[in-house]
Amino acid sequence: TVVIPIWLARRKGISVSLGASVPARLIQVGGIALLGLGLGLFAASLGRFATEGRGTLAPWDPPRRLVVRGPYRYVRNPMISGVLFILLGEALLLGSLPHLTWALVFLALNLLYIPLLEEPQLHHRFGTSYQEYRRHVPRFVPLLRPWQPSPDTLRDPPRGDSAGG
């Protein structure tokens, strides 16, 4: 959300400037809103990793408990959603096709990585709790109403040492 967008902006000579028309300015306002939404979603998700999951994003210190509260009640990958909102917000704020392309590449990479690598690790790690969670909460498109986990889902002991949460 920082290094690649800055690199793209410098490489393509893109800078933040006020849109030349009312529609362009409205698009920029939408970009700012997406940036705020993305930052809030990412921060809330990261906070849950530390408090509920008792871990971090770092592969050497992943969450020790399955995180199923907060934004995780609506969607299984709220951090990725948050980052995607940030990237799309940057593209709209800057009016930049290269930044939009980067956001779409990021999405495509995660559409492959999450089901092929991350989810099998989470299943191995958290077993039936993760299976239950996966049955009720979608990967990328959020629910309109939050999922209510059963107490058993929250108590299932972690298994294995793979990363995720």
Side-chain angles (χ1 to χ4, degrees):
T1 62
V2 177
V3 174
I4 292 175
I6 288 173
W7 176 79
L8 283 172
R10 287 183 178 164
R11 186 165 184 258
K12 300 291 184 178
I14 299 167
S15 61
V16 179
S17 62
L18 191 59
S21 65
V22 172
R25 290 178 188 158
L26 290 174
I27 289 170
Q28 288 180 309
V29 168
I32 292 168
L34 281 176
L35 278 166
L37 177 64
L39 287 170
L41 192 53
F42 184 84
S45 303
L46 190 58
R48 290 284 174 177
F49 261 40
T51 58
E52 185 180 332
R54 298 185 185 152
T56 68
L57 285 176
W60 57 86
D61 185 29
R64 292 161 191 74
R65 293 185 144 179
L66 181 63
V67 180
V68 297
R69 292 192 177 129
Y72 291 91
R73 293 172 60 203
Y74 295 88
V75 66
R76 288 197 315 257
N77 296 283
M79 276 194 223
I80 296 301
S81 297
V83 170
L84 185 59
F85 286 145
I86 291 167
L87 295 175
L88 290 172
E90 291 171 344
L92 292 177
L93 180 62
L94 296 170
S96 168
L97 186 58
H99 286 82
L100 177 61
T101 302
W102 165 232
L104 295 174
V105 167
F106 175 83
L107 174 61
L109 291 171
N110 280 284
L111 286 171
L112 293 172
Y113 169 78
I114 290 170
L116 294 177
L117 296 171
E118 183 176 277
E119 287 183 347
Q121 291 174 348
L122 291 168
H123 179 261
H124 172 74
R125 194 150 186 234
F126 298 112
T128 58
S129 290
Y130 184 70
Q131 283 179 285
E132 179 72 9
Y133 175 63
R134 205 167 105 171
R135 247 192 318 272
H136 294 283
V137 180
R139 184 182 294 137
F140 293 114
V141 179
L143 298 169
L144 295 177
R145 292 179 169 204
W147 174 59
Q148 300 292 339
S150 70
D152 292 339
T153 302
L154 302 176
R155 280 192 228 136
D156 194 20
R159 302 175 346 174
D161 289 326
S162 302

